[in-house]
Amino acid sequence: MRTHYCGQVTEAQLDSTVELCGWAHRRRDHGGVIFIDLRDREGLVQVVFDPDREETFATAERVRNEYVLRVTGTVRRRPEGTENPNMTTGQVEVLGHELEIVNAARTPPFQLDDEDVGEDVRLRYRYVDLRRPRMLERIRARARVTRILRRFLDDNGFLDIETPMLTRATPEGARDYLVPSRIHRGAFYALPQSPQLFKQLLMMSGMDRYYQITRCFRDEDLRADRQPEFTQLDIETSFMDEEGIMVLSEAMIRELFREELGVQLPDPFPRMTYADAVRRFGVDRPDLRIPLELVEVADLVADTEFKVFSGPARDPRGRVAALRLPGGGELTRKEIDDYTAFVGRYGAKGLAYIKVVDPERGVEGLQSPIVKFLGEAAARAILERTGAEAGDLIFFGADRAGIVNEALGALRVRLGHDRGLRAEGWQPLWVVDFPMFEYDETDQRLYALHHPFTAPRETAPEALEQATDPETILSRAYDMVINGSEIGGGSVRIHQPDLQLRILAMLGIGEAEAREKFGFLLEALNYGAPPHGGLAFGLDRLVMLMTGAGSIRDVMAFPKTQTASCLLTEAPAQVDDAQLRELGLRLRGAS
């Protein structure tokens, strides 16, 4: 139906006849001459209709925004002074000879150039929203990103292999989406949280190098960078240690940024241990563009009269940390109160602070309600350790370590944005030496920090048994972070059946339960499992980062809302009783 895309009509087609199809982006009537900006996925071109062709002109008069049109015309130069250098097609226009209204359209629910449309409206009419140039470019960027990643992996000997979508429910850290079986009454499939076990089985099958761009499903609380269904670039290799996997993955991401953005990322990426990241930045995915850092001061305040500080300072699971804000002394009380409310979202009970007026005068040169409780020695020690100068402000966090880290880590990022401290550019980072386990105070038990198939640094049985604190055992896991976002994470896996059982036992999963839930994996480990490892990149988050979108919803064609619903299709929805009966199900409370 067309010879060219609209956005590809240039001076190369001068004086030639073209056939175009697209949407009426804008219609203008200038004293008897009608201009229509015709739009398709490649861009806009201006089409001119004059009264000399009466029938065509009459049709053009009926056109409204978003009508679907087919145009035949001749390409000519725009009159001098009317060129548009901001458009690829801005030097030319099409003189319309024939015009067909393929389909009329209602007035759109919003204008395509309106940037203040509410997200609910955009998601309800997503097919209109996706026509907007910004959204279209993000979807195109996503396609280019996947093409570059596939090419790199294909060129490096990886095989693109699909894994099942209907599988067995296994504990991987989040709730499963369950699918009832019609054939096997009372039994359920689970949608995969990741292809973790299947990609390990592929290594045991001798596939050596596997990748897959795959959908994953997790029934968990949602936020801007989390969806119930999302896409991973999943990678697994055999006979390669973490160093080899990290070097290969790093090269892939460098190639991606170079081709897509024209950006040269550092070679190699810097590395930081998990312990250092949490100690200095409060999180294991620090944004290195922000120069602020947390400083440990528990030892300086443990013996003070200020119980808000001394209590956590003496608690083995507590932490007292300081965050120095250069020039922060100019913050108003209202601004400090706003930051106090902000950290409250992360469990902090308050936000102590000190304004540094004259550090040479010790306590006398400080302004804060807490100064009188600290004492001269503690105050001077805090100033020295934080490097605070006149005009600075020091924020404090004192509570359980997890709360302090999360609250001050988030405050650090907020201050970096609010105070214009964030540098431009890209700051990649590998975070390594993750703990194997983390202790959940609510459940009073250990959980795997990554997943239960991650290999420990020490594999000797006696080393695991003799560890007085399981939380000190390190794993062979690694995360790639860019600008404060974790874009990928992985590990070397356990490939010995005895070690896998031992790790599961440390997580409170006995052998009987382990064989019930992971029997197929444990059995496969007995049939010649090679050393293997890999990682998974969050494709949605990676594209969000590269396109500057504020949410992964803006780089997905048809996302869900933060309540896991689809406003376009009104899913999830009730199903009728006949469907439920086929599955052997009945809603509780229903007759």
Side-chain angles (χ1 to χ4, degrees):
M1 294 180 69
R2 60 186 168 198
T3 59
H4 298 78
Y5 281 104
C6 296
Q8 295 174 344
V9 178
T10 66
E11 292 170 286
Q13 285 81 44
L14 281 174
D15 300 323
S16 64
T17 299
V18 294
E19 296 179 27
L20 309 172
C21 295
W23 285 261
H25 187 69
R26 189 179 293 108
R27 174 188 172 278
R28 307 180 303 281
D29 190 334
H30 289 184
V33 176
I34 295 175
F35 296 86
I36 294 177
D37 291 339
L38 192 65
R39 185 193 73 244
D40 59 22
R41 75 172 203 186
E42 298 299 326
L44 297 170
V45 67
Q46 179 172 281
V47 185
V48 183
F49 298 92
D50 60 41
D52 293 344
R53 293 177 174 80
E54 294 183 9
E55 185 177 346
T56 301
F57 189 82
T59 304
E61 288 184 309
R62 292 166 31 216
V63 171
R64 296 295 180 267
N65 284 3
E66 299 309 303
Y67 274 33
V68 182
L69 307 177
R70 185 182 182 190
V71 173
T72 301
T74 302
V75 181
R76 69 184 188 184
R77 291 190 186 278
R78 290 196 186 196
E80 186 175 351
T82 66
E83 301 92 342
N84 187 343
N86 298 318
M87 294 174 58
T88 305
T89 63
Q91 303 300 315
V92 300
E93 61 187 14
V94 176
L95 177 62
H97 298 163
E98 299 176 16
L99 173 63
E100 176 187 355
I101 296 177
V102 178
N103 214 338
R106 294 180 183 175
T107 301
F110 51 85
Q111 295 300 313
L112 270 63
D113 56 359
D114 186 353
E115 296 298 329
D116 295 322
V117 183
E119 188 179 51
D120 284 359
V121 176
R122 290 174 52 209
L123 294 180
R124 168 67 180 83
Y125 298 96
R126 190 61 163 184
Y127 43 86
V128 175
D129 186 45
L130 289 174
R131 296 177 193 172
R132 299 195 301 156
R134 178 181 295 184
M135 292 301 299
L136 175 60
E137 178 50 34
R138 287 170 179 165
I139 298 300
R140 288 165 62 93
R142 184 183 179 115
R144 291 193 300 268
V145 166
T146 58
R147 183 171 65 247
I148 294 167
L149 295 173
R150 285 185 186 277
R151 188 184 66 228
F152 179 92
L153 293 167
D154 289 341
D155 290 347
N156 280 274
F158 285 79
L159 302 178
D160 183 357
I161 306 175
E162 293 181 345
T163 54
M165 282 293 165
L166 295 176
T167 184
R168 181 185 177 92
T170 57
E172 291 189 41
R175 288 180 293 272
D176 288 312
Y177 278 102
L178 300 177
V179 180
S181 170
R182 178 182 61 82
I183 298 172
H184 305 281
R185 292 292 185 95
F188 294 80
Y189 300 104
L191 300 180
Q193 294 184 34
S194 77
Q196 180 61 48
L197 299 181
F198 285 104
K199 65 183 179 183
Q200 289 190 244
L201 291 171
L202 286 170
M203 296 304 101
M204 300 170 204
S205 305
M207 297 300 157
D208 194 71
R209 293 189 173 195
Y210 138 97
Y211 83 93
Q212 182 182 191
I213 294 177
T214 183
R215 299 292 276 178
C216 302
F217 306 85
R218 293 179 186 175
D219 185 4
E220 56 188 352
D221 296 333
L222 307 180
R223 58 186 185 217
D225 59 350
R226 185 180 286 172
Q227 282 274 292
E229 52 179 328
F230 56 96
T231 304
Q232 282 186 183
L233 168 62
D234 208 47
I235 301 170
E236 197 79 4
T237 68
S238 297
F239 304 109
M240 187 179 289
D241 61 13
E242 51 266 62
E243 182 67 24
I245 296 168
M246 292 166 70
V247 167
L248 182 76
S249 305
E250 190 177 302
M252 179 179 70
I253 296 301
R254 268 197 303 273
E255 183 169 313
L256 171 64
F257 272 69
R258 183 173 60 252
E259 289 199 28
E260 176 62 18
L261 300 180
V263 170
Q264 186 64 51
L265 295 179
D267 182 8
F269 291 179
R271 299 186 184 188
M272 182 181 299
T273 66
Y274 171 90
D276 279 348
V278 172
R279 176 178 56 83
R280 294 171 57 191
F281 306 106
V283 296
D284 59 4
R285 55 185 191 286
D287 188 342
L288 299 185
R289 298 172 301 169
I290 298 171
L292 307 178
E293 292 193 21
L294 279 59
V295 176
E296 188 64 50
V297 295
D299 59 313
L300 306 180
V301 298
D303 297 326
T304 64
E305 297 178 13
F306 194 36
K307 288 185 169 41
V308 173
F309 281 5
S310 59
R314 296 170 183 171
D315 183 347
R317 292 190 178 273
R319 185 180 189 191
V320 185
L323 179 63
R324 171 193 166 223
L325 177 62
E330 64 187 30
L331 290 181
T332 66
R333 183 55 197 243
K334 181 183 183 305
E335 287 174 315
I336 293 174
D337 288 344
D338 288 344
Y339 288 127
T340 302
F342 174 75
V343 297
R345 303 176 201 169
Y346 299 89
K349 301 181 182 68
L351 185 61
Y353 69 92
I354 291 176
K355 286 188 175 183
V356 182
V357 180
D358 183 357
E360 298 300 324
R361 297 173 57 202
V363 170
E364 295 299 320
L366 307 178
Q367 290 181 0
S368 170
I370 70 170
V371 166
K372 60 185 177 181
F373 299 109
L374 290 179
E376 188 70 34
R380 287 189 178 275
I382 289 171
L383 292 175
E384 180 179 357
R385 185 170 293 181
T386 59
E389 300 175 353
D392 292 351
L393 182 144
I394 306 172
F395 285 115
F396 295 90
D399 209 310
R400 303 301 283 258
I403 292 175
V404 172
N405 293 335
E406 196 168 354
L408 287 190
L411 178 63
R412 171 184 172 271
V413 174
R414 172 77 179 269
L415 291 171
H417 286 254
D418 290 353
R419 304 285 294 179
L421 300 174
R422 187 185 70 182
E424 295 300 318
W426 300 93
Q427 288 285 348
L429 173 72
W430 282 109
V431 178
V432 297
D433 291 347
F434 280 83
M436 277 288 292
F437 309 108
E438 60 181 344
Y439 185 76
D440 187 288
E441 295 182 12
T442 302
D443 295 344
Q444 299 284 298
R445 54 160 291 189
L446 291 174
Y447 283 94
L449 189 63
H450 270 67
H451 54 65
F453 317 109
T454 298
R457 181 67 55 80
E458 294 288 343
T459 59
E462 58 273 13
L464 296 175
E465 292 171 358
Q466 292 170 6
T468 55
D469 182 0
E471 291 178 83
T472 64
I473 299 173
L474 297 181
S475 72
R476 298 176 69 181
Y478 35 83
D479 281 358
M480 185 186 289
V481 177
I482 297 182
N483 289 3
S485 290
E486 178 203 329
I487 64 163
S491 66
V492 172
R493 324 301 186 187
I494 298 169
H495 66 279
Q496 308 99 325
D498 292 345
L499 179 60
Q500 183 64 79
L501 283 170
R502 188 178 298 276
I503 294 300
L504 291 173
M506 296 180 74
L507 292 168
I509 301 174
E511 184 170 350
E513 183 183 359
R515 294 198 181 279
E516 177 192 351
K517 293 179 177 177
F518 309 110
F520 59 96
L521 174 70
L522 294 171
E523 184 174 12
L525 289 172
N526 284 288
Y527 285 91
H532 60 282
L535 77 169
F537 287 95
L539 186 65
D540 311 298
R541 191 176 298 176
L542 180 60
V543 177
M544 176 186 76
L545 199 66
M546 296 180 72
T547 59
S551 161
I552 62 172
R553 292 190 292 277
D554 283 339
V555 297
M556 303 171 77
F558 300 105
K560 305 290 189 295
T561 68
Q562 288 199 19
T563 59
S565 61
C566 175
L567 299 181
L568 174 64
T569 64
E570 298 183 345
Q574 300 291 325
V575 297
D576 60 39
D577 290 340
Q579 287 177 284
L580 291 175
R581 283 194 298 272
E582 274 193 322
L583 297 169
L585 299 177
R586 185 178 67 176
L587 295 177
R588 289 188 64 182
S591 57

